[in-house]
Amino acid sequence: QVQLVESGGGLVQAGGSLRLSCAASTTIFSIFGMGWYRQAPGKQRELVAQITSGDTTRYADSVKGRFTISRDNANNTVYLQMNSLKPEDTAVYYCNARSRITYATYWGQGTQVTVSS
């Protein structure tokens, strides 16, 4: 079982920046593909960004050029740097981990990001 703990959410004005962190309780972090998802009120959870165990990244069109996902395998942590934030980025952001060996999937508890206009 892998536990994921997100941090770094909060309230920010439009145009501002936040960095989310997700720490994983595993000694084999490097085998996990990691992702950030978000869910706004009344909407479905959607993919924001992914990074594979080989450091290949993928982004939702809505965040390309503004958000950057990265990982630190030595510290079992994945980050989401969010710049030029918009009110429509307001959501609960969830960290996701998926093993490339067993395909087991884990979720964090979520962290709230609120962008004021």
Side-chain angles (χ1 to χ4, degrees):
Q1 189 76 4
V2 175
Q3 290 188 329
L4 303 173
V5 179
E6 301 105 332
S7 60
L11 173 64
V12 64
Q13 288 188 332
S17 298
L18 284 174
R19 188 175 82 152
L20 304 183
S21 300
C22 172
S25 65
T26 176
T27 58
I28 51 173
F29 181 73
S30 61
I31 73 165
F32 285 87
M34 302 298 297
W36 288 96
Y37 290 71
R38 66 187 181 188
Q39 187 166 18
K43 294 188 177 182
Q44 289 189 331
R45 190 172 297 189
E46 63 175 0
L47 173 68
V48 176
Q50 283 181 324
I51 184 166
T52 70
S53 56
D55 287 340
T56 299
T57 58
R58 180 163 72 106
Y59 297 91
D61 288 343
S62 59
V63 307
K64 282 180 182 177
R66 299 188 298 123
F67 290 11
T68 302
I69 189 170
S70 61
R71 65 190 296 158
D72 180 352
N73 289 342
N75 290 296
N76 299 341
T77 302
V78 64
Y79 303 97
L80 185 68
Q81 178 66 45
M82 304 186 294
N83 299 327
S84 302
L85 282 160
K86 304 175 181 180
E88 51 263 45
D89 294 318
T90 295
V92 178
Y93 283 70
Y94 296 91
C95 179
N96 170 275
R98 185 169 183 262
S99 169
R100 66 177 172 84
I101 305 298
T102 66
Y103 304 110
T105 300
Y106 305 93
W107 292 91
Q109 81 287 353
T111 185
Q112 176 70 46
V113 171
T114 302
V115 184
S116 63
S117 57

